[in-house]
Amino acid sequence: MIDLDHNATTPLDARVRAAMIELLGDPSLDGNPSSVHGRGRRARAVVEDARRSVAAAVGAEPLGVTFTSGGTEADALAILGTCRALRQAGRPCALASSKLEHPAVRGAGELLAREGIPQVFVPFDEHGRIEAAAVVETLRAHPEVGLVSLATANNELGNVYDIAGIVAAVRGLPGRELLVHSDAVQAFGKYPVDFAAADLDLMSVSSHKIHGPKGVGALIHRPHLRIDPLWIGGSQERGRRVGTEAVPAIHGFGVAAGLVAAELDQRRAHVAELHAQLLAGLAEVAPGHLRYGDPDRHLGNTALVGFPGCPGELLLMNLDLEGVAVSTGSACNSGKFAASKVLLTLLGEGPGASEALRFSLGKDNSAAEIARVLALLPGIVARVREERGCA
Ligand SMILES: Cc1ncc(COP(=O)(O)O)c(C=O)c1O
C-alpha cells in the first residue's frame, strides 16, 4: 500500500514496535506504576522515562506532561479542565477558538456551551490563515474570554500558525490574564514544536501521529497550572488524569518522541522533497486542480487539493483500488464519506468541499511512490469525470 494519509495516522515505527514488544515480554515491568513494591517502581520508572522523553521533544518540563488517551482527550482536558477551573475561581472563563479547529476542540467547546460557558470565534481569511491582530481584536471585544485555543497546524489544510506571535500578542493585552492552549497534534513530528519558546500554557500532542502507538497522547502544560480532571477516582498524573497508566503505550510514545527529537530535520527535508515532487507533478497531470491552504506557512507534508467536477469520495475509492491511501478531509471523515469540514467552513455549501483529496506524506514515503500516484491520477480523474458526465 502507498500511504499518503499520514495526517490520519502514522505507521508504528519498527523501533517503537521492538521497544514495546521488549517491554511486553518482560514480566518484571508489568506492574502498576502506583504500587510501591519493586515491580510497581520499575513500571513507574518506565512511565517517568517516557515523560522525560516527551518533555524534551516538545520543549517542556517533565512535570508539565500529563499522559492521556490521545489528542482528543488532551484537547478536552485542556479546554474543559481549565475553563471549569477558571469559572470556579470566579475568573473570565469563556473560550476563544476558531471554526477551523479539529472536532476534538470544537466538541470540547460545545460541551462547555452546554454548561453555560460561551465560546467566541476568531476570524480567518480565505486560505484559513489566522493573524495575531485578528485574535487580539476578538479578545478586546470579549472580556468574558479566559482561554484561547488555536491549533499549531491545521489537520486538513496543513497551515502552520504563528502561535508564538499569537501568544505574545495575547500577553500584551492590558488587564487580561488569559491562558493559551494550542492543539499541536498535527504539528508535532512534522514541524518544530517548542512549548516553552512559544510561551504557551497548554498544548496537546498525540503518539499515533508520530509513529507511536495509538491510544496515548499528552497534555503539555505549565507544571503548576490548575486543570480540573475530567473524572475523579485516583491520584495518577498528579490528579489531572486519573486511572492506571497505559504503561506499554506510554513507553512506545516516549520512544517515538525520542526519535522525533533526533530525526525531525532529516524527516522534514525528505518529506519536503516529496511534497515538491507531488505539487510539481499535479501541475502537470491535473491541470485545473485547486490547492487549498496557506502557500507560505505550512507543514510541508500536506496538500489539500480540489479536483473540480470530481467527487473526492470517487477519487479516493479509485485510488484505494490501486493500493493508494488518501482521505477526503480529516481522519474523522475517513471512515465515512463526508465533505471536508474545513473546506465547508472555508468555501461554504457547494460542491467544492466534496471535490477534494488530502494527500499527507510521511517519512517512509519514497519518490517512486509519489511518481506512481502521479501516474495513476490522470486516468482516475478522467474516468471519474466521465462517469459523472463532466468530461
Ligand atoms: C489536530 C488534531 N487534533 C486532535 C486529534 C485527535 O487526536 P487522537 O486521534 O490522538 O485522539 C487529531 C487527529 O486527527 C488532530 O488532527
Side-chain angles (χ1 to χ4, degrees):
M1 190 200 55
I2 299 179
D3 180 1
L4 299 187
D5 198 15
H6 288 81
N7 288 10
T9 195
T10 53
L12 194 65
D13 189 293
R15 295 164 290 182
V16 176
R17 182 184 297 115
M20 289 179 72
I21 289 173
E22 198 183 326
L23 179 99
L24 287 165
D26 184 346
S28 76
L29 295 174
D30 200 17
N32 183 329
S34 299
S35 299
V36 289
H37 49 63
R39 205 160 134 251
R41 289 200 307 275
R42 283 190 290 277
R44 165 64 48 208
V46 169
V47 171
E48 297 314 318
D49 269 356
R51 198 185 308 281
R52 279 189 290 275
S53 171
V54 171
V58 300
E61 290 180 45
L63 266 182
V65 174
T66 294
F67 287 117
T68 64
S69 64
T72 302
E73 189 190 330
D75 285 340
L77 183 57
I79 292 169
L80 298 168
T82 53
C83 288
R84 287 171 178 164
L86 288 171
R87 179 177 52 186
Q88 268 175 33
R91 288 176 50 188
C93 61
L95 171 68
S97 173
S98 99
K99 291 191 175 166
L100 298 175
E101 297 304 310
H102 187 272
V105 169
R106 304 285 310 275
E110 279 167 31
L111 282 179
L112 279 182
R114 285 188 212 167
E115 295 175 15
I117 299 181
Q119 181 173 188
V120 302
F121 294 104
V122 301
F124 46 83
D125 72 8
E126 73 273 21
H127 298 293
R129 290 182 290 217
I130 295 172
E131 300 302 335
V135 177
V136 164
E137 207 175 305
T138 307
L139 294 174
R140 279 214 179 95
H142 291 281
E144 72 276 22
V145 170
L147 174 72
V148 179
S149 176
L150 292 169
T152 303
N154 184 278
N155 56 308
E156 294 196 40
L157 298 165
N159 287 4
V160 170
Y161 297 94
D162 176 17
I163 284 298
I166 291 174
V167 176
V170 169
R171 303 262 182 256
L173 274 167
R176 303 285 289 274
E177 266 184 74
L178 289 143
L179 296 174
V180 188
H181 164 248
S182 187
D183 176 334
V185 166
Q186 284 298 343
F188 182 37
K190 304 185 180 91
Y191 199 85
V193 162
D194 192 325
F195 178 77
D199 194 24
L200 280 161
D201 298 294
L202 301 131
M203 185 173 87
S204 306
V205 291
S206 175
S207 156
H208 75 103
K209 308 288 187 184
I210 64 159
H211 300 274
K214 292 169 183 51
V216 61
L219 179 60
I220 313 299
H221 51 84
R222 292 194 191 279
H224 303 293
L225 187 66
R226 179 166 166 205
I227 306 168
D228 277 7
L230 296 177
W231 53 83
I232 55 175
S235 57
Q236 294 90 348
E237 299 299 283
R238 298 182 176 262
R240 292 191 176 93
R241 201 283 186 173
V242 302
T244 302
E245 299 88 341
V247 180
I250 288 173
H251 178 55
F253 185 20
V255 174
L259 292 170
V260 167
E263 297 175 359
L264 183 64
D265 292 348
Q266 176 194 327
R267 290 182 190 181
R268 288 187 73 211
H270 173 66
V271 169
E273 268 183 34
L274 301 182
H275 193 248
Q277 180 191 353
L278 178 68
L279 295 187
L282 281 172
E284 258 178 54
V285 305
H289 75 272
L290 304 167
R291 174 87 201 286
Y292 298 110
D294 185 344
D296 301 320
R297 286 182 71 102
H298 56 82
L299 282 174
N301 84 314
T302 308
L304 185 60
V305 181
F307 297 90
C310 290
E313 63 199 53
L314 294 183
L315 295 172
L316 182 153
M317 284 191 295
N318 277 278
L319 282 167
D320 187 33
L321 288 172
E322 300 287 351
V324 180
V326 294
S327 79
T328 51
S330 80
C332 303
N333 293 342
S334 300
K336 47 185 168 38
F337 290 124
S340 153
K341 284 210 173 53
V342 165
L343 282 185
L344 273 176
T345 309
L346 274 185
L347 309 175
E349 293 294 336
S354 46
E355 294 177 342
L357 284 184
R358 181 187 68 185
F359 301 89
S360 49
L361 282 46
K363 70 180 177 72
D364 300 322
N365 285 132
S366 67
E369 288 180 330
I370 303 298
R372 166 92 183 125
V373 173
L374 288 168
L376 286 168
L377 264 175
I380 290 178
V381 169
R383 194 157 66 237
V384 168
R385 286 216 172 107
E386 205 177 289
E387 278 164 17
R388 305 290 293 185
C390 334

